Amino acid sequence: KYIKKVKPPCLHMERCNELINSILRSEKRKLDDGSEENKYLTSVASQDSVNFVKISCNICGKSGVEGNARGFLVDGDPLEIIICANRLSPSPDSEGSLDTKTRTTVREIMIHELVHAYDHRQQICDFSTCEGLAHSEVKAAREAECGNVSSLHRFLPTHMENWLKNKCIREHAIRSTANLYGHSAATQCVNKVFDVAVKDKSPFDT
C-alpha cells in the first residue's frame, strides 16, 4: 500500500523572528545581571553594533549556500544572518508558548553564525580557503553545537570530558566544511587547523 509522506510543519516566520528577539532580550538581561553565557550573543544583544549584523528568519532554498543549512551568513553592510524557518519544526504544544527545544535550536544557530560573522568582519579567517573556513567552523562548533557537551558529561574524568567535546567539535566542523569542499578535503583541513582553532577565542580573548 502506498503511503504518502507528509512533511513536518515548519516554524512560522513570525514565531521564528519572535524567538530571535526573545533570545536577545534574555541575553541582555544576563549581561546586565552579570550572568552572561555566551559572549557572541551578549555582544549583539547589548548592541551598539546594530550596524554590524542583522538577524532574521526566512524561507531557505535547496541550492547554493542555503543548501540544507539551518542558517547562513550573507555578506553586506550590515552582515545578515538568515535563520531557515522552514528547517525548524515547532512542537505540537508551541502554539501557546515558545517551545524550549525550538528556542534552544534557534539560539544554537544564532551563536554558530555569529562566530562566522565576527571571523569574517574582523578578518580572523579567510573564508575563500578550505583551511580558513575549517578554522571558523571549529570555533563555531565549539561555541554552538558542542557548547554544552562538558556539562552533559560533568561526572566523567576531565580528560574524558575534553575528549568527548573535541570529538563533537571535530565531527561538526568536518560536516560543515564538507558542504563546500567534500568530506575528504574537509577532514584534512579540519585536522590541520584543529589544535590552533579550538583554542582561538578571538575576538573575545580573555
Side-chain angles (χ1 to χ4, degrees):
K1 183 179 178 180
Y2 175 73
I3 300 175
K4 184 179 180 180
K5 286 187 176 181
V6 179
K7 286 186 178 181
C10 65
L11 190 66
H12 192 279
M13 288 273 289
E14 183 179 347
R15 198 157 194 76
C16 184
N17 283 307
E18 182 183 346
L19 272 170
I20 292 172
N21 292 329
S22 174
I23 289 166
L24 290 176
R25 287 195 301 271
S26 176
E27 295 299 323
K28 177 65 166 60
R29 287 194 296 271
K30 290 173 186 176
L31 179 64
D32 292 342
D33 65 22
S35 61
E36 70 169 343
E37 294 180 1
N38 186 278
K39 290 183 182 296
Y40 288 94
L41 275 180
T42 51
S43 68
V44 175
S46 61
Q47 290 204 35
D48 304 320
S49 63
V50 173
N51 294 325
F52 163 56
V53 62
K54 174 185 175 184
I55 307 174
S56 62
C57 298
N58 209 334
I59 302 300
C60 298
K62 298 179 180 179
S63 60
V65 68
E66 301 176 32
N68 292 316
R70 299 183 304 170
F72 59 95
L73 181 68
V74 179
D75 195 8
D77 191 13
L79 294 172
E80 186 170 10
I81 290 171
I82 301 294
I83 294 179
C84 300
N86 53 320
R87 307 263 158 79
L88 300 171
S89 298
S91 72
D93 65 348
S94 66
E95 195 63 34
S97 62
L98 295 175
D99 173 58
T100 302
K101 184 177 179 181
T102 307
R103 182 188 180 91
T104 299
T105 300
V106 171
R107 185 178 186 275
E108 185 178 279
I109 298 169
M110 289 169 67
I111 293 171
H112 186 110
E113 297 304 327
L114 279 168
V115 173
H116 293 327
Y118 274 97
D119 283 351
H120 174 71
R121 179 51 56 92
Q122 303 202 11
Q123 299 181 334
I124 295 169
C125 298
D126 181 358
F127 285 83
S128 67
T129 69
C130 181
E131 289 177 16
L133 175 61
H135 187 110
S136 189
E137 292 293 359
V138 168
K139 292 175 63 180
R142 180 197 67 211
E143 296 292 324
E145 292 87 349
C146 307
N148 68 340
V149 169
S150 295
S151 64
L152 294 174
H153 302 285
R154 61 185 179 278
F155 298 114
L156 292 175
T158 302
H159 71 279
M160 280 298 296
E161 280 186 32
N162 292 337
W163 183 84
L164 287 168
K165 182 160 187 172
N166 284 342
K167 180 176 183 291
C168 175
I169 294 168
R170 195 183 299 272
E171 289 175 351
H172 278 280
I174 289 172
R175 194 176 304 130
S176 296
T177 306
N179 287 332
L180 285 181
Y181 291 97
H183 186 268
S184 179
T187 301
Q188 292 179 13
C189 292
V190 169
N191 286 340
K192 186 171 182 179
V193 304
F194 189 85
D195 289 343
V196 172
V198 78
K199 297 175 184 175
D200 181 5
K201 302 294 179 63
S202 59
F204 302 115
D205 290 308
T206 54

